[in-house]
Amino acid sequence: MWDNLVRMDYEGVSILNASESLRDSLISQQSGLLAAEIEILKPDVCLFFSGPYYDDFINAAFPGCEFSSCGALPERELARVTATASVLPVASFRTYHPNFLRRGNRWSYIETVRTLLQDLLEP
């Protein structure tokens, strides 16, 4: 399943470029939606292709979540996302958007995620 962390913009402007009050309002309007979708779908894996600038939005959807480094890559570039008492699956990660990965010659991050998933999900 593909879903959007932020389902709207304002007059074609990225939520990151909106005023703080507008950003807070948009987050408030969709509060609980992403967590409810994940709770219904019960995925084994959740990949946030959002980059670190959207970590506040992930934290708003899953309060108390933490981002931690995945080995050799900096946390900013690839992070494991964990949240206690959350519907977020154990295998949850955040990295950059696929276009950024491709343009930045970082497509190998997908292979790193695949390896991490194998380690987490294999019996």
Side-chain angles (χ1 to χ4, degrees):
M1 183 194 113
W2 177 282
D3 202 351
N4 287 311
L5 186 56
V6 180
R7 290 171 173 73
M8 57 192 95
D9 60 25
Y10 181 72
E11 297 180 355
V13 175
S14 165
I15 188 82
L16 292 177
N17 296 324
S19 70
E20 187 175 338
S21 62
L22 177 59
R23 192 170 40 248
D24 291 346
S25 173
L26 293 175
I27 289 172
S28 172
Q29 290 175 35
Q30 60 186 15
S31 175
L33 184 57
L34 182 59
E37 290 172 334
I38 289 178
E39 184 174 23
I40 290 166
L41 295 170
K42 296 178 182 19
D44 294 324
V45 175
C46 187
L47 299 176
F48 294 99
F49 289 108
S50 56
Y53 293 114
Y54 286 87
D55 285 356
D56 288 344
F57 297 94
I58 296 171
N59 201 21
F62 307 99
C65 71
E66 295 181 7
F67 301 87
S68 57
S69 178
C70 295
L73 295 172
E75 178 185 311
R76 178 173 182 73
E77 296 181 22
L78 175 62
R80 182 159 180 204
V81 184
T82 55
T84 55
S86 170
V87 298
L88 212 54
V90 171
S92 295
F93 298 91
R94 188 263 300 132
T95 190
Y96 293 113
H97 189 278
N99 282 336
F100 183 85
L101 293 172
R102 181 183 50 79
R103 286 191 318 262
N105 200 25
R106 293 179 173 95
W107 200 248
S108 63
Y109 291 14
I110 300 300
E111 181 61 27
T112 301
V113 170
R114 187 186 71 78
T115 301
L116 291 166
L117 290 173
Q118 281 181 322
D119 292 345
L120 279 172
L121 300 176
E122 284 186 355

